[in-house]
Amino acid sequence: MSPCEKHGMASERPVAFEGIDTGRMFLACAQPEGSNCGFVKWVDHQWPPTMQTALLKLWAMVEDAKSTRVNDNLESSFTIHHLTEEKNKLEANYDKLVQDSAITYQQEVRKELIDDMKAQMATEMAKKDAETQKLTQKYELLVNLTRAQATVIQNLKLNKMKEKQVLTEARMNLELKNAELTKCQEKLTQEKLELKLQVADLLKGKEKHIKRSGS
């Protein structure tokens, strides 16, 4: 193995991998980049022209494949970029849809709650109306009973007043009659006294007459 001419060290034996020299072995400086002296010496002979032409075609095909791959990668990049934008738009639309759906759901839930509250309030109002109607009927019944009782009491009072008036008039009549009877009794008593006096006078006159007749 030929050493590196500048460094006097053993050379590497890499294999070429480009152009018409693809596959040929050569010697090269083993120092790293920066210290490498650029020593190169071919070990294999140059390929025949047909081989070189074939290698050129192969490398042309490789370059075309690379170019196609690059174009495909660019198209893929554009497609990926477009799909990413579409994805972002879809995610934004999805987030907005979720937000709108959440708002709509909240509104629907709120509407259902309000409807339930309205239904409960309507039921309670119906119960209250029924109770109020019953109480009103009871109140009207009590009012009618009170009025009837008041009418009965008033009639009783009127009847009592009439009876009292009749009794008062009867009492007054009795008192008048009693007074008349008292007067009549006094008159009769007076007349009786007068009769007694007359009888006494008659008896006295009779006795006098008898005495006169006897003498």
Side-chain angles (χ1 to χ4, degrees):
M1 180 181 295
S2 299
C4 175
E5 294 178 353
K6 182 177 180 180
H7 299 99
M9 298 176 62
S11 302
E12 292 182 335
R13 298 189 68 177
V15 176
F17 196 71
E18 61 180 7
I20 59 175
D21 295 320
T22 300
R24 291 177 64 190
M25 188 178 296
F26 62 95
L27 300 175
C29 179
Q31 294 298 317
E33 188 176 356
S35 300
N36 194 297
C37 64
F39 168 73
V40 174
K41 182 178 180 181
W42 291 102
V43 176
D44 294 330
H45 295 288
Q46 193 173 12
W47 299 118
T50 54
M51 184 65 176
Q52 292 180 5
T53 302
L55 288 171
L56 288 174
K57 288 182 179 180
L58 287 173
W59 279 110
M61 292 173 65
V62 169
E63 292 298 327
D64 290 339
K66 285 183 179 180
S67 178
T68 302
R69 190 178 297 113
V70 169
N71 291 331
D72 291 340
N73 289 335
L74 287 174
E75 290 180 0
S76 298
S77 297
F78 288 138
T79 302
I80 291 170
H81 179 70
H82 179 69
L83 291 174
T84 302
E85 289 182 348
E86 291 293 329
K87 179 184 176 184
N88 293 332
K89 289 180 181 179
L90 288 173
E91 288 178 350
N93 291 331
Y94 176 76
D95 292 337
K96 187 175 183 301
L97 180 61
V98 170
Q99 186 176 3
D100 293 341
S101 298
I103 294 173
T104 303
Y105 176 74
Q106 291 177 356
Q107 291 176 349
E108 290 178 354
V109 170
R110 187 178 301 170
K111 184 177 180 299
E112 289 179 357
L113 289 174
I114 292 173
D115 292 338
D116 291 339
M117 291 177 65
K118 286 182 178 179
Q120 291 178 0
M121 290 178 66
T123 303
E124 292 295 329
M125 289 297 293
K127 290 181 180 179
K128 294 295 183 184
D129 290 339
E131 292 177 357
T132 303
Q133 187 175 2
K134 289 181 180 179
L135 290 174
T136 303
Q137 292 176 354
K138 289 182 179 179
Y139 174 75
E140 291 178 352
L141 180 61
L142 289 173
V143 169
N144 292 329
L145 289 173
T146 303
R147 287 176 179 174
Q149 289 177 354
T151 302
V152 171
I153 292 170
Q154 187 175 4
N155 292 330
L156 289 173
K157 285 182 178 180
L158 290 173
N159 292 330
K160 285 184 178 180
M161 289 177 66
K162 289 180 180 179
E163 290 177 357
K164 185 177 180 181
Q165 186 177 0
V166 170
L167 290 173
T168 302
E169 291 177 354
R171 182 179 177 183
M172 290 177 66
N173 291 328
L174 287 173
E175 288 178 353
L176 290 173
K177 289 180 179 180
N178 190 18
E180 290 177 357
L181 289 173
T182 301
K183 288 180 180 180
C184 290
Q185 187 177 4
E186 289 177 352
K187 185 177 180 181
L188 289 172
T189 302
Q190 185 67 29
E191 289 178 353
K192 185 177 180 181
L193 288 173
E194 290 177 356
L195 287 172
K196 284 182 177 181
L197 291 173
Q198 289 177 3
V199 169
D201 290 338
L202 288 173
L203 289 173
K204 286 179 179 181
K206 185 177 180 181
E207 287 177 355
K208 287 179 179 181
H209 181 71
I210 292 172
K211 286 179 178 181
R212 286 176 184 177
S213 297
S215 58

